[in-house]
Amino acid sequence: MDDRVVVAGALCDRGRLLAARRTAPPELAGRWELPGGKVEPGEGPEEALVRELREELGVETLPVERIPGQWPLGRGRVLQVWTARLLSGEPTPLEDHDELRWLGPDEVHTVDWLDQDRPAVAEAARLLRDALDRPGG
């Protein structure tokens, strides 16, 4: 049986990465994650990401590229992460979160990320640093 995919967005805007603080379940409450959710039947991962970020944050986004790798979440689920660009709206914690923070690439270590998000966060921070280092970045 295939693992059920959960997608998350490394949502980037103006050289910063969005972190979202979980409210549930109790064992994850208070920790930080890249927002997203389950891919529904008949839905592609990128479609699911756009839908989930709209539902959770009230924003329109564009998935850019998948961060290599996937991370086990338990109970037959795996996490896949895409970098995503903010197209419109101001992120607001509408579902599953009580606080959002925009973090620069050198600030990502200042919050307590969920363990499965850490490799993708490190890669997203590296991509942000590289973009800032380029001329015109």
Side-chain angles (χ1 to χ4, degrees), residues 10-12 15-20 32-34 101-114 117-129:
L11 185 58
C12 302
R16 302 168 302 161
L17 175 68
L18 187 70
W32 296 80
E33 70 175 355
L34 299 170
R101 287 189 195 166
W102 287 106
L103 302 170
D106 296 325
E107 299 171 311
V108 297
H109 65 281
T110 64
V111 299
D112 183 18
W113 292 100
L114 295 175
D117 285 40
R118 291 178 188 271
V121 167
E123 178 62 11
R126 186 191 68 75
L127 293 169
L128 283 172
R129 249 186 246 101

Side-chain angles (χ1 to χ4, degrees), residues 49-70:
L49 182 61
V50 169
R51 176 186 52 74
E52 286 285 349
L53 296 180
R54 184 183 304 124
E55 291 172 1
E56 289 188 5
L57 305 175
V59 295
E60 293 302 319
T61 58
L62 175 68
V64 178
E65 66 180 296
R66 183 167 163 204
I67 291 179
Q70 63 181 22

Side-chain angles (χ1 to χ4, degrees), residues 21-103:
R21 189 169 67 185
R22 298 240 5 138
T23 56
E27 64 272 14
L28 302 180
R31 296 193 65 199
W32 296 80
E33 70 175 355
L34 299 170
K38 295 178 191 83
V39 176
E40 298 298 336
E43 188 177 48
E46 292 94 338
E47 292 172 278
L49 182 61
V50 169
R51 176 186 52 74
E52 286 285 349
L53 296 180
R54 184 183 304 124
E55 291 172 1
E56 289 188 5
L57 305 175
V59 295
E60 293 302 319
T61 58
L62 175 68
V64 178
E65 66 180 296
R66 183 167 163 204
I67 291 179
Q70 63 181 22
W71 300 273
L73 298 174
R75 298 191 314 248
R77 297 175 298 151
V78 295
L79 176 67
Q80 296 179 356
V81 179
W82 271 257
T83 59
R85 191 172 49 195
L86 181 64
L87 296 178
S88 66
E90 183 62 36
T92 305
L94 302 175
E95 290 183 4
D96 303 324
H97 305 104
D98 65 353
E99 185 178 341
L100 303 175
R101 287 189 195 166
W102 287 106
L103 302 170

